[in-house]
Amino acid sequence: MPADQLGQLRHERVDHRFKALPPDADGLTVAELAAERRSLFTGGFTTPVLALSAESVEHNLDLLQTYSERHGLAFAPHGKTSMSPQLFTRQLERGAWGITAAVPHQVRVYRAHGIQRIFLANEIVDAAALRWLAGELNRDPDFRFIAYVDSVRGVELMDQALTAAGATRPVDVVVELGAGEGARTGARTEAECAAVADAVAAVTTLRLVGVVGYEGEVPNADGDNVRAWLRRLVALTADFDAAGRFADSDDVVISAGGSAWFDAVADVFAEVPALSRPVLKLLRSGAYVSHDDGHYRHLTPFNRVPEEGALQPALRLWAQVVSRPSPTQAFLNAGKRDAAYDLDLPEAQVVRDARTGELRPATDIEVSGLSDQHGWVRTEPDVDLEVGDWIGMGLSHPCTAFDKWQLIPLVEADGTVIDYIRTFF
């Protein structure tokens, strides 16, 4: 992200719009508040408050950079996870080719913050969005944009909208091969993919540059099934290239790779044969930037290849005990409005004693449910937990944690807040 746009974020004023920030910081800029290096625990922050570990974020950024380089992969991490231009900048600084988006709104956010290469992992058939996109491409010759196509009708709608918008540059598109019957999007067969490619070749508003898919939707996904589908993706790409379907492109894009099977992607993409043009092997994993303490902790490929390294969970939600009505029950002041809960409940990890400030493991303490603004906690009868204590919780599914917070403290291990991460959902 250009320095002036990054500077605009740092000069945003802190006020009531941002949950949990110290009330006495109202009117300060983000940069001024960060310069004070306040403690998350004693610096006036109100609970609940979501914190992002500075050390873990740096570790995760470095790990995926070195992993991609080691396996000869380009990297366009999915920005939907954080929707944070500051984190996008750090990903790009670590060699990312560009940033992946899911919907046109996200593309607009990326462009507003200077992202020059965007991979839209979806078909775009919204005429208003395509009109805006045509304007962006016309205005900026250095902007590279790639989108999915998975139907002849989708190609028709794109062509109509782009023609009406007076597009002067063709939109780069990649045909999506579906992961199988009952999976998500994508043409289900190679013959259907070829029909979509034929439709692209018949219009001047689009240019075919590659083939893509999402291996996370392979039915009965396991190592063998995922690799078998990825080999179909590679074979289709080679067939399209042999047929001259990429004749107008400078490179051939082949892309896959969510956060659960990028090891399989690395293995199979190493088998991509020499093609008529340079091959851009594009990995799209996004959840790695913060990882988590639930869903992705179980699914990460690093569990299968520990010699490659390990991601670190970076998100922790802090809440206070506001009620202790019985020896086995407590209630926190954080609920569904604050915590990711679509995949797993938060995991109680640590208690900060309100009397002494000491930290201790959250032994025999379990989050059993969430209301809108309360966390339900079960404890063993002899657990030392009282009103006012803070509980730090690990979260599952970072995408639905980031989206509840507009400005997230970036915290060092000792609790010092060194920056604030702005999100745009």
Side-chain angles (χ1 to χ4, degrees):
M1 185 168 70
D4 59 335
Q5 289 161 321
L6 191 60
Q8 288 174 15
L9 294 181
R10 294 187 59 76
H11 287 92
E12 189 168 14
R13 297 284 173 181
V14 172
D15 58 24
H16 62 277
R17 293 171 296 163
F18 304 116
K19 295 193 295 185
L21 298 193
D24 66 356
D26 276 11
L28 295 179
T29 67
V30 171
E32 289 168 343
L33 181 55
E36 293 185 354
R37 296 178 62 85
R38 297 193 184 198
S39 167
L40 185 72
F41 305 113
T42 62
F45 293 85
T46 62
T47 55
V49 56
L50 182 68
L52 192 63
S53 164
E55 293 88 352
S56 293
V57 167
E58 289 301 309
H59 170 86
N60 295 342
L61 290 170
D62 289 342
L63 181 58
L64 259 291
Q65 177 186 8
T66 57
Y67 182 88
S68 299
E69 292 172 350
R70 185 182 306 124
H71 291 280
L73 300 170
F75 191 28
H78 212 316
K80 70 180 174 66
T81 297
S82 71
M83 286 303 294
S84 170
Q86 292 155 282
L87 294 179
F88 299 164
T89 297
R90 292 161 82 166
Q91 290 169 317
L92 292 168
E93 288 171 349
R94 285 165 173 78
W97 172 90
I99 305 294
T100 295
V103 293
H105 162 72
Q106 293 170 359
V107 178
R108 291 188 62 202
V109 171
Y110 297 4
R111 288 299 289 162
H113 293 93
I115 304 301
Q116 285 294 90
R117 290 175 176 167
I118 299 174
F119 188 87
L120 181 64
N122 222 334
E123 187 167 61
I124 175 172
V125 295
D126 182 324
L130 287 162
R131 185 165 56 248
W132 171 85
L133 175 63
E136 282 294 289
L137 289 167
N138 291 350
R139 180 182 63 80
D140 184 355
D142 295 324
F143 171 36
R144 185 166 191 196
F145 175 84
I146 303 173
Y148 284 15
V149 286
D150 81 342
S151 66
V152 172
R153 174 60 174 160
V155 169
E156 177 186 345
L157 290 170
M158 293 183 77
D159 179 54
Q160 289 173 354
L162 292 167
T163 299
T168 59
R169 290 176 58 194
V171 172
D172 286 350
V173 294
V174 284
V175 173
E176 183 188 9
L177 174 65
E181 288 302 320
R184 204 162 61 186
T185 54
R188 292 298 192 249
T189 67
E190 284 77 358
E192 290 172 340
C193 287
V196 175
D198 287 341
V200 171
V203 302
T204 59
T205 54
L206 304 176
R207 179 175 70 161
L208 186 65
V209 299
V211 178
V212 301
Y214 175 50
E215 76 290 341
E217 288 291 323
V218 170
N220 304 311
D222 60 21
D224 291 339
N225 289 339
V226 167
R227 285 173 173 80
W229 177 83
L230 287 165
R231 291 189 174 98
R232 283 181 60 198
L233 191 71
V234 170
L236 180 62
T237 305
D239 288 347
F240 275 16
D241 183 63
R245 293 187 181 276
F246 306 127
D248 295 330
S249 179
D250 295 329
D251 55 16
V252 176
V253 178
I254 180 168
S255 179
S259 295
W261 291 102
F262 56 74
D263 58 329
V265 173
D267 291 345
V268 176
F269 278 13
E271 304 169 4
V272 174
L275 301 180
S276 65
R277 283 154 180 74
V279 180
L280 183 69
K281 303 173 185 179
L282 201 58
L283 186 68
R284 306 190 305 270
S285 312
Y288 82 98
V289 69
S290 68
H291 198 45
D292 76 358
D293 280 296
H295 184 69
Y296 290 105
R297 178 177 63 194
H298 298 304
L299 290 182
T300 176
F302 289 117
N303 291 337
R304 295 186 291 272
V305 287
E307 68 277 7
E308 297 266 19
L311 294 168
Q312 297 176 1
L315 291 167
R316 176 168 281 174
L317 179 66
W318 290 93
Q320 270 187 296
V321 178
V322 293
S323 181
R324 188 78 158 104
S326 79
T328 59
Q329 194 174 36
F331 289 89
L332 308 178
N333 62 348
K336 293 179 180 178
R337 304 298 179 90
D338 313 297
Y341 63 92
D342 56 316
L343 295 178
D344 301 289
L345 289 171
E347 176 184 84
Q349 295 177 331
V350 63
V351 176
R352 186 176 189 275
D353 192 290
R355 297 180 186 273
T356 66
E358 294 180 355
L359 298 176
R360 61 178 181 269
T363 305
D364 294 328
I365 298 173
E366 178 186 13
V367 178
S368 58
L370 294 174
S371 301
D372 273 3
Q373 308 286 185
H374 288 89
W376 295 60
V377 173
R378 252 194 322 258
T379 75
E380 291 299 312
D382 59 348
V383 165
D384 178 16
L385 186 70
E386 62 180 350
V387 170
D389 289 346
W390 290 36
I391 293 184
M393 294 170 283
L395 301 177
S396 180
H397 199 186
C399 299
T400 53
F402 277 102
D403 70 357
K404 295 173 175 59
W405 297 84
Q406 294 185 68
L407 202 58
I408 303 171
L410 186 67
V411 184
E412 291 183 332
D414 65 356
T416 301
V417 179
I418 60 170
D419 204 353
Y420 297 83
I421 301 300
R422 185 72 158 94
T423 67
F424 291 88
F425 284 93

